[in-house]
Amino acid sequence: MRDTGAAYARNSASAAGKLALAVAAADLDPRHFAGLDLVISVTNYYSPATGLYGFSNWDQAFAIMGLVAAGEDVPVTATQALETRMLPDGSWGWSPAWNGSKVDSTALALQALVAAGRPVTASSIVSGVAFLKTQQNIDGGFSAGDSVSDPSNTNSTALAVQGMLAGGSDPLSALWTISSSNPISFMLSLQGSDGSLHYTAAFSESRQIATQQGIPALTGWPFPYASRAVALRKAIDWIVSQQQSDGSFAGFGTGATLDAVLAIASTGRDPQSFVSSGGKTPQDFLVTQVPTYSNSSAAAAGKMLAGAVTVGGDPTNFDGADLVLSVNNTYSPTIGQYGSSVWDQAWAMIGLAAANQSIPSTATQRLAEIRDASGGWGFGAFGSFGVDPDSTGLALMALQADSEPITSTAVVSGLAYLQAVQNHDGGFPGYGGDTSANSTGLALQGLLAYDLDPESLEWTTSYTDPSSLTWHTPIDAILDLQSPLGGFAGFSGPNDPGATYQAVPGIAYKSFPLQCHTADRLHGVAAHDHSRVECELHKHLARPAADQRLGFRRWSHQPIV
């Protein structure tokens, strides 16, 4: 794709759009791929006068889906242009001049229109899904629609499944069941012993294309797939807009700025490169909060310590303050406790690890012991204020910061708790039970601390919205909480600072503590030169091998540090 993408994108609007779609599915950013900005590549085909990208309906559909995959808005005229091309029977053909391939084209149009924001109740969507039903064959599958005598094939059936899913219809439901067969059972009937899907029952060639087109339908997801890279770009852009003139970031107090700093660093960006309208950096603000903030709790001291390291400060002399000492002053060696809460204990341990300080073994033992009987942790010791995914994710990161093995009872219990409370949409519940960006972000970090893949089958769920066929992961769920502006839904609305700051590290596949330094400083450049930052995990963490998709739900409130 990198080698041939530029030439391919010049072929047509559908080629440019499909490439953008594929780049996003690979968790990359279509705006920055192999020297290309695929949004520009797609937009070059656009005619504002007609609302059309290129000539065919496939050009229009793939261009629209490519733009959405890149996180861009679709012109209203483009959506309207595709809708006006719907034929009287509720279908779309390949182009206005040729009405062949109706099933395939209709399925693509449905996915594009819903991706562009058309509700499943829109007449164009309802009519398109109804047309697909008229084309279903007795074996449960679909042909391309060029001829009524054509046998059902995997490719057209797969596209039809994606179209009906986009339109809010369940391919496993009675509506799509004929003589005990449905589109999915038809596709599975064509699967060979080697795992491939045959094109038709009588034609076993073209297996690679049939298999490639069949897999998305079998996982229950219409196009486009959400990209973590796109989500992170938009989130960071939104975070930039939240910086205040004194160098701080919007949110509740100093803790919000520290969360923002850690979020920025988790994406590989240097927080110190974020300079406010007043000419201030995050560090300029943070040093004004020491010692007031650091002395407020062990959790605050630990978070300030982690933040100071992240912005490239000296943790033992952060504008004259010894933040390591601030953390250690909260420690009670007789019981192994920093402060009094789980968050005190966890943030103190994370902060010390970030500063390459040793963590007392009694502190790690204490954190393991104060979990709730359910296996998880809450804000207070022994679940005294309830148990939640946020605290559990934080505790798991702290345990890993002191190299507590994944086989230990505390870690096994904590992971089992997260799995037990995972919502049906793949996310983790916040206050009230709905999936929360805060809770899912911290739970993700807990999984990632132990190198667990949040998109593996172990963390995949399914339910009947829109179909039990559809896979849902924590990544799907959290990405669905991102607003068009780039923020994440939380306590204050669709663009909540706290929710956004806590969502970003999980989406970036990074857990705390981060070890950050400016690369130039390592080579003798002055300490104030923050031209490039490098952040890596305290313990080496290979990126889990899964990638892609979308998800669902709402917000939460959690303990404020």
Side-chain angles (χ1 to χ4, degrees), residues 463-533:
Y463 69 118
T464 57
D465 185 8
S467 171
S468 59
L469 175 70
T470 308
W471 297 1
H472 299 274
T473 72
I475 295 296
D476 301 331
I478 198 169
L479 291 186
D480 197 60
L481 292 170
Q482 188 171 31
S483 85
L485 294 179
F488 284 79
F491 188 69
S492 65
N495 291 283
D496 179 73
T500 304
Y501 306 151
Q502 292 196 346
V504 165
I507 297 169
Y509 277 19
K510 294 292 177 66
S511 66
F512 300 146
L514 297 169
Q515 292 285 3
C516 301
H517 54 266
T518 51
D520 289 334
R521 191 181 316 150
L522 293 180
H523 298 90
V525 178
H528 65 270
D529 184 348
H530 296 274
S531 58
R532 184 163 62 91
V533 72

Side-chain angles (χ1 to χ4, degrees), residues 416-490:
Y417 163 79
L418 289 179
Q419 196 161 55
V421 300
Q422 186 178 12
N423 279 344
H424 56 208
D425 63 6
F428 292 88
Y431 181 79
D434 285 333
T435 289
S436 153
N438 305 62
S439 303
T440 304
L442 279 165
L444 277 168
Q445 288 186 276
L447 302 184
L448 294 163
Y450 281 94
D451 203 9
L452 297 177
D453 181 357
E455 295 187 278
S456 68
L457 289 177
E458 182 180 8
W459 299 98
T460 297
T461 63
S462 67
Y463 69 118
T464 57
D465 185 8
S467 171
S468 59
L469 175 70
T470 308
W471 297 1
H472 299 274
T473 72
I475 295 296
D476 301 331
I478 198 169
L479 291 186
D480 197 60
L481 292 170
Q482 188 171 31
S483 85
L485 294 179
F488 284 79

Side-chain angles (χ1 to χ4, degrees), residues 219-499:
T219 61
W221 280 102
F223 296 140
Y225 294 158
S227 162
R228 290 189 297 115
V230 172
L232 291 172
R233 165 170 56 81
K234 291 175 70 70
I236 292 298
D237 287 347
W238 186 82
I239 290 173
V240 169
S241 72
Q242 302 304 298
Q243 190 171 27
Q244 311 299 299
S245 61
D246 61 359
S248 68
F249 291 86
F252 188 86
T254 305
T257 295
L258 288 166
D259 286 333
V261 161
L262 293 169
I264 292 165
S266 74
T267 68
R269 300 281 296 275
D270 181 0
Q272 286 295 92
S273 68
F274 287 57
V275 181
S276 73
S277 59
K280 300 293 186 179
T281 67
Q283 184 171 346
D284 291 331
F285 168 76
L286 291 175
V287 295
T288 68
Q289 305 304 300
V290 180
T292 303
Y293 178 76
S294 298
N295 290 339
S296 62
S297 70
K303 184 180 280 191
M304 179 65 84
L305 177 55
V309 173
T310 302
V311 297
D314 181 347
T316 61
N317 185 17
F318 193 60
D319 198 41
D322 187 337
L323 298 177
V324 174
L325 182 61
S326 296
V327 171
N328 287 333
N329 282 342
T330 69
Y331 188 57
S332 174
T334 55
I335 60 172
Q337 176 73 45
Y338 292 92
S340 59
S341 72
V342 168
W343 282 57
D344 283 331
Q345 190 79 352
W347 269 116
M349 292 170 63
I350 290 170
L352 290 171
N356 289 318
Q357 301 293 310
S358 61
I359 298 170
S361 59
T362 50
T364 303
Q365 182 180 350
R366 171 70 174 176
L367 181 57
E369 290 174 347
I370 60 176
R371 69 186 187 278
D372 180 70
S374 65
W377 286 263
F379 182 76
F382 306 106
S384 56
F385 293 99
V387 186
D388 57 80
D390 312 51
S391 304
T392 301
L394 189 65
L396 288 170
M397 284 190 278
L399 291 173
Q400 171 59 15
D402 196 36
S403 302
E404 184 75 0
I406 193 172
T407 54
S408 74
T409 300
V411 176
V412 169
S413 299
L415 293 172
Y417 163 79
L418 289 179
Q419 196 161 55
V421 300
Q422 186 178 12
N423 279 344
H424 56 208
D425 63 6
F428 292 88
Y431 181 79
D434 285 333
T435 289
S436 153
N438 305 62
S439 303
T440 304
L442 279 165
L444 277 168
Q445 288 186 276
L447 302 184
L448 294 163
Y450 281 94
D451 203 9
L452 297 177
D453 181 357
E455 295 187 278
S456 68
L457 289 177
E458 182 180 8
W459 299 98
T460 297
T461 63
S462 67
Y463 69 118
T464 57
D465 185 8
S467 171
S468 59
L469 175 70
T470 308
W471 297 1
H472 299 274
T473 72
I475 295 296
D476 301 331
I478 198 169
L479 291 186
D480 197 60
L481 292 170
Q482 188 171 31
S483 85
L485 294 179
F488 284 79
F491 188 69
S492 65
N495 291 283
D496 179 73

Side-chain angles (χ1 to χ4, degrees), residues 29-54:
D29 190 345
R31 276 222 172 258
H32 306 281
F33 178 72
L36 299 173
D37 183 334
L38 291 172
V39 172
I40 294 176
S41 298
V42 171
T43 304
N44 283 339
Y45 290 99
Y46 184 60
S47 169
T50 63
L52 295 174
Y53 296 89

Side-chain angles (χ1 to χ4, degrees), residues 180-198:
S180 300
S181 182
N182 60 48
I184 301 303
S185 60
F186 166 76
M187 291 174 64
L188 294 179
S189 74
L190 298 186
Q191 187 168 36
S193 59
D194 62 356
S196 68
L197 296 172
H198 296 178

